[in-house]
């Protein structure tokens, strides 16, 4: 199986940042990097056919310049490039078949820190079963940064009711490769009336918190045994899951969230927590598809 990393390029600052992030990740994993550009070349009847060839040439120039820039920064990197004539989301999904990861740029929200995940990015996240990483054009993703993103920790949310091997495998593996701390967080909510004080019982809630912590430790123990070199920071917190994860990941080098694979005629759904993380995380976000 081809374990290369695929990155989508569209000429935006975000996609260039994604390419540099993906290049460092490819070196960590010792795998090739494959640059992909996709758009529909065939013009409408009212547009001159010459426009298609101009766009093809622009795509070739984009890929060549990106390859040259990455090789100048990382001469040991194995890089290939490819352009597709077709719908970008479908083309990226095709190019990612058999790969280990797809990396895309994602636009910031201006004065609000976070992601805007466009229609192409959302379609790809829904359709690709390999890990998809969304990267902003932030300081840490810029080409002159050497390794800063590697030591800032990996954050993963853990559902103790439905633990996910794919999610934890990816998170532990990333932390191991980076030599950084893995922050595993499980959040839970107080009983409905506890916020008003009517049903708040410190002893009961302390017991619940201890049970939650025991459940988290039990889930993480086999993974800690498999990755003894990973510095694991396991935490249980009270509050909405997305809010807790965003707070924990405010200074992280990578956030890891899950997306349940749903094969049905009613479409796809990434879940409210993953959706919130994708749109508001300031760190790169890895979306891991799982059953």
């Amino acid at each position: 199986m081809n374990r290369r990393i695929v990155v989508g390029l569209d000429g935006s600052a975000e996609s260039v940042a994604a390419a540099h992030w993906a290049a460092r990740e490819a070196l960590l994993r010792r795998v090739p990097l494959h640059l992909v550009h996709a758009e529909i070349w065939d013009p409408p009847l009212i547009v001159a056919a010459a426009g298609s060839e101009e766009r093809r040439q622009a795509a070739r120039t984009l890929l060549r310049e990106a390859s040259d820039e990455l090789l100048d920064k990382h001469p040991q990197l194995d890089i290939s490039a490819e352009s597709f004539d077709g719908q970008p989301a479908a083309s990226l999904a095709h190019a990612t078949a058999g790969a280990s990861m797809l990396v895309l740029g994602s636009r910031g929200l201006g004065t609000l820190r976070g992601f805007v995940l466009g229609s192409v990015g959302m379609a790809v996240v829904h359709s690709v079963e390999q890990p998809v990483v969304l990267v902003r054009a932030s300081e840490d993703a810029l080409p002159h940064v050497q390794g800063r993103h590697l030591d800032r920790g990996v954050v993963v949310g853990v559902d103790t009711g439905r633990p996910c091997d794919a999610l934890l495998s990816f998170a532990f593996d990333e932390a191991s490769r980076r030599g950084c701390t893995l922050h595993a967080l499980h959040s839970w909510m107080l009983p409905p009336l506890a916020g008003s004080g009517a049903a708040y019982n410190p002893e009961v809630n302390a017991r619940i918190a201890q049970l939650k912590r025991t459940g988290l430790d039990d889930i993480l123990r086999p993974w800690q045994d498999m990755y003894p070199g990973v510095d694991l920071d396991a935490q249980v917190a009270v509050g909405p899951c997305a809010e807790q994860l965003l707070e924990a990941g405010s200074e992280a080098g990578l956030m890891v969230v899950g997306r349940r694979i749903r094969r049905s005629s009613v479409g796809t759904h990434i879940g409210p927590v993953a959706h919130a993380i994708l749109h508001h995380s300031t760190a790169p976000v890895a979306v891991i598809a799982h059953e």
Side-chain angles (χ1 to χ4, degrees):
M1 179 179 288
N2 183 354
R3 304 308 296 168
R4 66 188 181 183
I5 290 176
V6 176
V7 58
L9 279 175
D10 61 10
S12 66
E14 291 78 19
S15 73
V16 172
H20 283 278
W21 190 97
R24 295 192 290 265
E25 187 70 19
L27 291 174
L28 273 180
R29 293 169 174 256
R30 300 181 181 179
V31 298
L33 181 67
H34 188 56
L35 308 181
V36 173
H37 174 83
E39 65 177 283
I40 299 175
W41 305 121
D42 294 334
L45 294 177
I46 60 173
V47 179
S52 295
E53 183 52 40
E54 290 176 359
R55 295 204 306 275
R56 287 188 176 92
Q57 181 57 46
R60 289 192 288 267
T61 300
L62 170 66
L63 292 170
R64 182 179 67 253
E65 290 179 350
S67 296
D68 290 345
E69 183 177 348
L70 291 172
L71 285 172
D72 181 64
K73 194 68 178 177
H74 308 287
Q76 69 274 43
L77 194 60
D78 180 2
I79 301 181
S80 58
E82 186 176 15
S83 61
F84 285 93
D85 177 3
Q87 293 287 349
S91 298
L92 286 167
H94 174 76
T96 306
S100 61
M101 180 186 297
L102 172 65
V103 184
L104 300 174
S106 193
R107 181 169 58 87
L109 285 169
T111 56
L112 296 175
R113 302 170 70 195
F115 284 115
V116 169
L117 189 58
S119 58
V120 171
M122 187 63 76
V124 171
V125 168
H126 282 160
S127 61
V128 171
E129 295 190 4
Q130 289 85 354
V132 180
V133 179
L134 286 304
V135 179
R136 289 181 63 198
S138 62
E139 178 70 13
D140 288 338
L142 294 176
H144 67 268
V145 175
Q146 288 291 340
R148 188 191 304 172
H149 75 302
L150 298 180
D151 59 7
R152 293 179 61 183
V154 174
V155 174
V156 60
V158 182
D159 183 348
T160 58
R162 294 188 296 182
C164 174
D165 286 349
L167 191 71
L168 292 174
S169 176
F170 183 91
F172 270 91
D173 189 62
E174 278 295 308
S176 178
R177 291 179 190 278
R178 294 160 178 252
C180 68
T181 300
L182 174 60
H183 303 276
L185 176 69
H186 173 71
S187 65
W188 60 285
M189 299 296 294
L190 290 169
L193 296 178
S196 65
Y200 182 74
N201 185 317
E203 293 184 2
V204 171
N205 287 291
R207 288 198 295 271
I208 295 174
Q210 183 56 53
L211 288 173
K212 296 290 186 180
R213 179 56 197 244
T214 300
L216 179 62
D217 289 343
D218 289 345
I219 289 169
L220 295 175
R221 188 172 297 109
W223 295 99
Q224 182 74 93
D225 291 342
M226 278 190 281
Y227 292 90
V230 169
D231 178 22
L232 178 62
D233 172 36
Q235 297 291 334
V236 173
V238 178
C241 183
E243 292 181 13
Q244 297 293 333
L245 284 172
L246 287 168
E247 181 178 352
S250 61
E251 298 297 329
L254 182 66
M255 295 277 286
V256 185
V257 298
R259 173 186 74 81
R260 192 167 297 278
I261 299 172
R262 302 189 182 193
R263 301 179 179 90
S264 70
S265 59
V266 297
T268 55
H269 182 57
I270 64 172
V273 173
H275 188 274
I277 300 302
L278 281 173
H279 285 81
H280 297 289
S281 172
T282 58
V285 179
V287 183
I288 311 303
H290 59 90
E291 298 291 348

